[in-house]
Amino acid sequence: MYPPLLREISDSPERLFFLGQTPGPAESFFAVVGTRHATSYGKQMAKQFTAGLTRGGFHIVSGLAYGIDAIAHQAALDAGGKTTAVLGSGLHNISPPCNIPLANEIQKNGTILTEYEDNFEARAGTFPQRNRIIAGMSLATLVIEAPEKSGALITARLALEYNRDVFALPANITQEASLGGNRLIRDSKAFPVTCLDDIFKYLELSGITLPLHAAQSKNKIPGASLLNADEEAIYSLLQKSPRSVDELVAETELPTARINTLLSFLELKGLVKISGAQALVTR
């Protein structure tokens, strides 16, 4: 197994070792990377964007690190999709050890990938080397959160060197975890994204052929693919007809406070409007 795009980079590895499933030659790999020390916002966005990309037909690539990487892998699996974890070590020295159960789960419907011999131990310099594989095999990279000095920024820099698209989520300017991603946007090195549709539209404008599911999802409600289970339940009910909070409570059996919170989130996303005592879909 050797990802076709990876062959195009000047410093591609001579050989690769892998465990798990062998991706097909037509796989559309998409990297999702970020800090090991994610905020609650970063964790939520990593789950939602990864799930949306997965449902869009993309094969998620990340580095199995603690934090955003692990969340992205798990979100891809939870969405019923495929994910590849690229290691900075050999297949018999998975790092960090806390992610070994996740690595075992990935192998059932994805791939563990490395350029190092089985018993090779990870070192500080092997992680930047690992990042070139993540960037090189992926048609684009999404940075969720990244401090000013982070492996995620190395991956983004390499992706740009390999003429790949880079996306980043705008985030709190006072949070250290946001500084690197915001800087990528400020310096016009990453395209800012606020919803999944931003990514799909940008890729199309870049001349990239989207996976079938992603192309189909363009005709759906923008932002709807980034809803969690409770938001989807509320939104589905409101698509049928406007409802009051009391009616939503009765139909979903969720607490009133939870319903009000969900409606607020849906309104912020531009999907729902609160009019008097009722909530209704806006598009």
Side-chain angles (χ1 to χ4, degrees), residues 30 49 140-144 156 160 164-170 181-206:
F30 201 113
F49 272 84
T141 294
L142 171 62
V143 178
I144 299 291
L160 291 169
R164 310 284 197 262
D165 289 308
V166 175
F167 302 93
L169 267 66
N182 286 343
R183 189 180 69 191
L184 286 173
I185 294 171
R186 182 200 66 191
D187 296 342
S188 300
K189 293 181 178 179
F191 184 79
V193 294
T194 58
C195 66
L196 194 64
D197 204 44
D198 288 342
I199 295 176
F200 291 166
K201 288 180 177 178
Y202 185 94
L203 290 176
E204 274 202 320
L205 290 173
S206 298

Side-chain angles (χ1 to χ4, degrees), residues 214-272:
Q216 290 174 338
S217 70
K218 285 173 64 268
N219 299 319
K220 298 180 181 179
I221 302 299
S225 58
L226 292 181
L227 303 183
N228 62 37
D230 287 346
E231 289 171 332
E232 285 181 355
I234 298 297
Y235 187 71
S236 294
L237 289 171
L238 294 177
Q239 281 185 305
K240 298 174 184 177
S241 66
R243 282 167 164 78
S244 67
V245 170
D246 289 341
E247 288 172 329
L248 291 171
V249 168
E251 292 183 72
T252 64
E253 299 183 350
L254 293 171
T256 301
R258 177 62 174 159
I259 293 292
N260 284 325
T261 299
L262 293 168
L263 289 174
S264 296
F265 284 146
L266 290 169
E267 189 171 28
L268 285 172
K269 292 176 180 179
L271 299 175
V272 164

